[in-house]
Amino acid sequence: MVSSGALDVTSPVAERDAITVDSVSKWFPSADGEPLHVLHDINLKVAEHSILAILGASGCGKSTLLNIISGILKPDRGRVCINGVVSEQFKDWRSVSYMFQEDRLLPWRTALRNVEFALEAASMPKAERRRKAQQALELVGLSGFEDAFPYQLSGGMRSRVALARSLVLEPCILLMDEPFSRLDAQTRSLMHTELLRIHGLKKMTIVFVTHDVEESVVLADSVVVMAPRPGRVRERVAIDIRRPRDATTPEVTRYIQRLRALI
Amino acid sequence: MPTVLEQQIHAPAPPRKWRVDLVVQRLALVGTIIGIWWIASLQMPHYILPGPLRVWQSLRTISANGDLWHNLAITLGRVAAGFLLATAIGLPLGIVLGANKRLGEFFEPIIPVMNTISSAIWAIFAIIWFGVSNATTIFVVFMTAMPLIITNVWQGTRTVNADFIELAHTLRMPHHKVMWKIYLPTILPYFFSGARLAFGFGWRVSLVAETLGSSSGVGYRLRQAADLIQTDQVFAWTITLVVMMAALEMGALRPLENHLFRWKREAESF
Ligand SMILES: Nc1ncnc2c1ncn2[C@@H]1O[C@H](COP(=O)(O)OP(=O)(O)OP(=O)(O)O)[C@@H](O)[C@H]1O
Ligand SMILES: [Mg+2]
């Protein structure tokens, strides 16, 4: 590319941000005719390799925001850039994984075949696909359950299959909507450790939504607190604690209290 | 890891239990029917109601001289041809009509209209168009089976989960793969129940078509036997048909369905 010199002010910034949300607003049509204002002027930058948590009350538009970042929903105002490219022009969507709030497992596929599904969009030899899916299931602690159908799994196990499905692509950007909300406390903290370990290896950028303040402090580099009706960013708090973080230490508790006060 | 759960999952699904009392019950039922039949046949001339023994003998005759297998194969071949044709056209058409709202809305009234047309009317048209030939029976089966398959597939297409489509969309899955990996598995149970209905109907109307416009097949032989007042043969053909449909249902369709839809949780029976 030919450099346009000093005038090209966007590119150096864009290179360091994996995700830029730029003045995004969104309305939904509603039954009474008055459009529902769901997101209002959201601005967000997520640095490459960092972990961002989004906290906020139910219905304040967190899932909608992730849908917009993932490109499946168009904002009514503003724009989203992925790796510095406006999302309409962004091509490499397979490097962006989205773990939905619901597990969305295909009921007619076994756990293993559900994980494989993510790899089937592109072409890949069957044996390799199987091996990768197997590894991903192992990663979320579900080896032995490859041949179980979704109806045979508990809610927590199902969401772990969904997690495996979004990890199997080895994404550069991982969007997760309440990924651990259906797990018991013990499994959840196991998954936290696991996620941080994978993050240490792959260094993907992670944006996740949670209702759990403690989870956001333990995992994230920064936490965005959203306010409802219409959804907007109330505050962004950087978590300056070295990892691994222990939820019982006073500095973590301080952050938790501060965030609780903001919600 | 929870090993108890693991065992439950890997244990093979419990097969439907062979209940001895159930077998005895069924045998008793068959025995009762044959008994009543036999007693009734004693009071009547054999050309009105032949007894079980007479029918059995007639069954042995037509199976020994090959008459039975020959005509059964002909009829089955025609039903299969009409049914496969109906599937080949009905399945894609149902998917297209279900996936495309505009087209669906436009063609919606056709199906109920087609369903009201009696198979006898199709048979008469078939004779006008194709004369006494294989095509007559195949056409009648086709015209009866196709609306049933289209209707069911169409309904199935409407139940495709938008969440799954969205998931495929985030994976940037190409359209033909979405069709193959999400639409088809969703539709399959609907298609299956439609196909089953269509096959059953097709089989029944094939006999009607054969009595009117054919010089071979079970329907033709039934009518011949009736014309010659060989009532015992009419009974023999009828019993053959019933046994064959039951064997097909229990030997092929039921196991196939159980295998294909093993991912469905069975409702706990109370
Ligand atoms: N497709 C849609 N059409 C109309 N309204 C919608 C749609 N999706 C979401 N909404 C509305 O937008 C608002 C925000 O929804 P969203 O799912 O983003 O909330 P959320 O913050 O994720 O909530 P939760 O924490 O409960 O998941 C809600 O009021 C919801 O009713
Ligand atoms: Mg949500």
PDB file of all heavy atoms in Angstrom, chain A residues 28-29 36 38 57-64 101 178 211, ligand 1:
ATOM      1  N   PHE A  28     -34.762  -1.103  17.507  1.00  0.00           N
ATOM      2  CA  PHE A  28     -35.524  -2.262  17.030  1.00  0.00           C
ATOM      3  C   PHE A  28     -36.963  -1.833  16.815  1.00  0.00           C
ATOM      4  O   PHE A  28     -37.506  -1.055  17.615  1.00  0.00           O
ATOM      5  CB  PHE A  28     -35.504  -3.402  18.061  1.00  0.00           C
ATOM      6  CG  PHE A  28     -34.294  -4.286  17.964  1.00  0.00           C
ATOM      7  CD1 PHE A  28     -33.504  -4.516  19.089  1.00  0.00           C
ATOM      8  CD2 PHE A  28     -33.941  -4.898  16.768  1.00  0.00           C
ATOM      9  CE1 PHE A  28     -32.388  -5.338  19.007  1.00  0.00           C
ATOM     10  CE2 PHE A  28     -32.836  -5.718  16.674  1.00  0.00           C
ATOM     11  CZ  PHE A  28     -32.056  -5.936  17.804  1.00  0.00           C
ATOM     12  N   PRO A  29     -37.600  -2.318  15.784  1.00  0.00           N
ATOM     13  CA  PRO A  29     -39.029  -2.048  15.636  1.00  0.00           C
ATOM     14  C   PRO A  29     -39.776  -2.731  16.785  1.00  0.00           C
ATOM     15  O   PRO A  29     -39.367  -3.786  17.242  1.00  0.00           O
ATOM     16  CB  PRO A  29     -39.389  -2.702  14.294  1.00  0.00           C
ATOM     17  CG  PRO A  29     -38.306  -3.678  14.008  1.00  0.00           C
ATOM     18  CD  PRO A  29     -37.078  -3.189  14.719  1.00  0.00           C
ATOM     19  N   LEU A  36     -37.767   0.855  19.420  1.00  0.00           N
ATOM     20  CA  LEU A  36     -37.116   0.685  20.705  1.00  0.00           C
ATOM     21  C   LEU A  36     -35.642   1.056  20.569  1.00  0.00           C
ATOM     22  O   LEU A  36     -34.926   0.476  19.764  1.00  0.00           O
ATOM     23  CB  LEU A  36     -37.260  -0.779  21.147  1.00  0.00           C
ATOM     24  CG  LEU A  36     -36.745  -1.143  22.531  1.00  0.00           C
ATOM     25  CD1 LEU A  36     -37.588  -0.483  23.603  1.00  0.00           C
ATOM     26  CD2 LEU A  36     -36.759  -2.663  22.685  1.00  0.00           C
ATOM     27  N   VAL A  38     -32.235   0.663  21.520  1.00  0.00           N
ATOM     28  CA  VAL A  38     -31.537  -0.372  22.272  1.00  0.00           C
ATOM     29  C   VAL A  38     -30.089   0.023  22.595  1.00  0.00           C
ATOM     30  O   VAL A  38     -29.602  -0.225  23.693  1.00  0.00           O
ATOM     31  CB  VAL A  38     -31.571  -1.713  21.512  1.00  0.00           C
ATOM     32  CG1 VAL A  38     -30.838  -2.786  22.285  1.00  0.00           C
ATOM     33  CG2 VAL A  38     -33.005  -2.147  21.279  1.00  0.00           C
ATOM     34  N   ALA A  57     -27.161  -4.743  33.242  1.00  0.00           N
ATOM     35  CA  ALA A  57     -28.427  -5.361  33.626  1.00  0.00           C
ATOM     36  C   ALA A  57     -29.039  -6.088  32.431  1.00  0.00           C
ATOM     37  O   ALA A  57     -28.717  -5.805  31.282  1.00  0.00           O
ATOM     38  CB  ALA A  57     -29.388  -4.297  34.138  1.00  0.00           C
ATOM     39  N   SER A  58     -29.929  -7.004  32.735  1.00  0.00           N
ATOM     40  CA  SER A  58     -30.606  -7.757  31.686  1.00  0.00           C
ATOM     41  C   SER A  58     -31.405  -6.810  30.795  1.00  0.00           C
ATOM     42  O   SER A  58     -32.093  -5.918  31.283  1.00  0.00           O
ATOM     43  CB  SER A  58     -31.539  -8.785  32.327  1.00  0.00           C
ATOM     44  OG  SER A  58     -32.086  -9.604  31.348  1.00  0.00           O
ATOM     45  N   GLY A  59     -31.262  -6.987  29.511  1.00  0.00           N
ATOM     46  CA  GLY A  59     -32.025  -6.187  28.554  1.00  0.00           C
ATOM     47  C   GLY A  59     -31.367  -4.877  28.163  1.00  0.00           C
ATOM     48  O   GLY A  59     -31.974  -4.073  27.458  1.00  0.00           O
ATOM     49  N   CYS A  60     -30.134  -4.641  28.603  1.00  0.00           N
ATOM     50  CA  CYS A  60     -29.510  -3.361  28.276  1.00  0.00           C
ATOM     51  C   CYS A  60     -28.779  -3.388  26.934  1.00  0.00           C
ATOM     52  O   CYS A  60     -28.147  -2.425  26.543  1.00  0.00           O
ATOM     53  CB  CYS A  60     -28.602  -2.870  29.404  1.00  0.00           C
ATOM     54  SG  CYS A  60     -27.076  -3.791  29.537  1.00  0.00           S
ATOM     55  N   GLY A  61     -28.860  -4.485  26.225  1.00  0.00           N
ATOM     56  CA  GLY A  61     -28.352  -4.502  24.847  1.00  0.00           C
ATOM     57  C   GLY A  61     -26.989  -5.142  24.663  1.00  0.00           C
ATOM     58  O   GLY A  61     -26.347  -4.936  23.638  1.00  0.00           O
ATOM     59  N   LYS A  62     -26.560  -5.981  25.612  1.00  0.00           N
ATOM     60  CA  LYS A  62     -25.235  -6.604  25.509  1.00  0.00           C
ATOM     61  C   LYS A  62     -25.174  -7.583  24.342  1.00  0.00           C
ATOM     62  O   LYS A  62     -24.237  -7.563  23.550  1.00  0.00           O
ATOM     63  CB  LYS A  62     -24.885  -7.321  26.821  1.00  0.00           C
ATOM     64  CG  LYS A  62     -25.002  -6.429  28.054  1.00  0.00           C
ATOM     65  CD  LYS A  62     -24.657  -7.167  29.324  1.00  0.00           C
ATOM     66  CE  LYS A  62     -25.633  -8.277  29.683  1.00  0.00           C
ATOM     67  NZ  LYS A  62     -26.986  -7.830  30.032  1.00  0.00           N
ATOM     68  N   SER A  63     -26.191  -8.422  24.249  1.00  0.00           N
ATOM     69  CA  SER A  63     -26.200  -9.394  23.142  1.00  0.00           C
ATOM     70  C   SER A  63     -26.304  -8.677  21.804  1.00  0.00           C
ATOM     71  O   SER A  63     -25.660  -9.062  20.828  1.00  0.00           O
ATOM     72  CB  SER A  63     -27.373 -10.366  23.291  1.00  0.00           C
ATOM     73  OG  SER A  63     -27.242 -11.126  24.460  1.00  0.00           O
ATOM     74  N   THR A  64     -27.115  -7.637  21.779  1.00  0.00           N
ATOM     75  CA  THR A  64     -27.256  -6.858  20.543  1.00  0.00           C
ATOM     76  C   THR A  64     -25.908  -6.285  20.125  1.00  0.00           C
ATOM     77  O   THR A  64     -25.549  -6.319  18.948  1.00  0.00           O
ATOM     78  CB  THR A  64     -28.265  -5.720  20.768  1.00  0.00           C
ATOM     79  OG1 THR A  64     -29.483  -6.281  21.270  1.00  0.00           O
ATOM     80  CG2 THR A  64     -28.546  -4.972  19.478  1.00  0.00           C
ATOM     81  N   GLN A 101     -25.454 -16.740  23.359  1.00  0.00           N
ATOM     82  CA  GLN A 101     -25.981 -16.881  24.720  1.00  0.00           C
ATOM     83  C   GLN A 101     -26.656 -18.248  24.896  1.00  0.00           C
ATOM     84  O   GLN A 101     -26.544 -18.867  25.943  1.00  0.00           O
ATOM     85  CB  GLN A 101     -26.983 -15.751  24.990  1.00  0.00           C
ATOM     86  CG  GLN A 101     -27.467 -15.683  26.421  1.00  0.00           C
ATOM     87  CD  GLN A 101     -28.116 -14.348  26.720  1.00  0.00           C
ATOM     88  OE1 GLN A 101     -28.250 -13.485  25.867  1.00  0.00           O
ATOM     89  NE2 GLN A 101     -28.526 -14.167  27.955  1.00  0.00           N
ATOM     90  N   GLU A 178     -22.268 -14.576  27.785  1.00  0.00           N
ATOM     91  CA  GLU A 178     -22.497 -15.329  29.022  1.00  0.00           C
ATOM     92  C   GLU A 178     -22.047 -16.788  28.890  1.00  0.00           C
ATOM     93  O   GLU A 178     -22.843 -17.719  29.039  1.00  0.00           O
ATOM     94  CB  GLU A 178     -23.981 -15.261  29.416  1.00  0.00           C
ATOM     95  CG  GLU A 178     -24.422 -13.825  29.620  1.00  0.00           C
ATOM     96  CD  GLU A 178     -25.843 -13.712  30.151  1.00  0.00           C
ATOM     97  OE1 GLU A 178     -26.307 -14.666  30.786  1.00  0.00           O
ATOM     98  OE2 GLU A 178     -26.459 -12.670  29.933  1.00  0.00           O
ATOM     99  N   HIS A 211     -22.842 -11.591  33.802  1.00  0.00           N
ATOM    100  CA  HIS A 211     -23.577 -10.950  34.893  1.00  0.00           C
ATOM    101  C   HIS A 211     -22.791 -11.053  36.189  1.00  0.00           C
ATOM    102  O   HIS A 211     -23.188 -10.510  37.214  1.00  0.00           O
ATOM    103  CB  HIS A 211     -24.941 -11.634  35.090  1.00  0.00           C
ATOM    104  CG  HIS A 211     -25.927 -11.283  34.042  1.00  0.00           C
ATOM    105  ND1 HIS A 211     -26.526 -10.043  33.984  1.00  0.00           N
ATOM    106  CD2 HIS A 211     -26.417 -11.974  33.005  1.00  0.00           C
ATOM    107  CE1 HIS A 211     -27.342 -10.006  32.957  1.00  0.00           C
ATOM    108  NE2 HIS A 211     -27.297 -11.172  32.333  1.00  0.00           N
TER     109      HIS A 211
HETATM  110  N1  LIG C   1     -34.611  -9.001  17.286  1.00  0.00           N
HETATM  111  C1  LIG C   1     -35.144  -8.138  18.150  1.00  0.00           C
HETATM  112  N2  LIG C   1     -36.265  -7.453  17.831  1.00  0.00           N
HETATM  113  C2  LIG C   1     -36.801  -6.568  18.677  1.00  0.00           C
HETATM  114  N3  LIG C   1     -36.300  -6.290  19.891  1.00  0.00           N
HETATM  115  C3  LIG C   1     -35.187  -6.942  20.274  1.00  0.00           C
HETATM  116  C4  LIG C   1     -34.558  -7.903  19.435  1.00  0.00           C
HETATM  117  N4  LIG C   1     -33.471  -8.387  20.080  1.00  0.00           N
HETATM  118  C5  LIG C   1     -33.420  -7.755  21.265  1.00  0.00           C
HETATM  119  N5  LIG C   1     -34.444  -6.880  21.389  1.00  0.00           N
HETATM  120  C6  LIG C   1     -34.678  -6.000  22.535  1.00  0.00           C
HETATM  121  O1  LIG C   1     -33.496  -5.267  22.731  1.00  0.00           O
HETATM  122  C7  LIG C   1     -33.212  -5.141  24.103  1.00  0.00           C
HETATM  123  C8  LIG C   1     -31.816  -5.615  24.370  1.00  0.00           C
HETATM  124  O2  LIG C   1     -31.746  -7.008  24.135  1.00  0.00           O
HETATM  125  P1  LIG C   1     -30.420  -7.836  24.382  1.00  0.00           P
HETATM  126  O3  LIG C   1     -30.718  -9.260  24.057  1.00  0.00           O
HETATM  127  O4  LIG C   1     -29.306  -7.189  23.648  1.00  0.00           O
HETATM  128  O5  LIG C   1     -30.207  -7.674  25.938  1.00  0.00           O
HETATM  129  P2  LIG C   1     -29.070  -8.277  26.900  1.00  0.00           P
HETATM  130  O6  LIG C   1     -28.355  -7.135  27.510  1.00  0.00           O
HETATM  131  O7  LIG C   1     -28.268  -9.261  26.173  1.00  0.00           O
HETATM  132  O8  LIG C   1     -29.936  -9.008  28.015  1.00  0.00           O
HETATM  133  P3  LIG C   1     -29.619 -10.354  28.823  1.00  0.00           P
HETATM  134  O9  LIG C   1     -28.593 -10.024  29.851  1.00  0.00           O
HETATM  135  O10 LIG C   1     -30.919 -10.703  29.453  1.00  0.00           O
HETATM  136  O11 LIG C   1     -29.166 -11.354  27.830  1.00  0.00           O
HETATM  137  C9  LIG C   1     -34.298  -5.882  24.835  1.00  0.00           C
HETATM  138  O12 LIG C   1     -35.219  -4.945  25.326  1.00  0.00           O
HETATM  139  C10 LIG C   1     -34.928  -6.758  23.804  1.00  0.00           C
HETATM  140  O13 LIG C   1     -36.297  -6.878  24.065  1.00  0.00           O
END
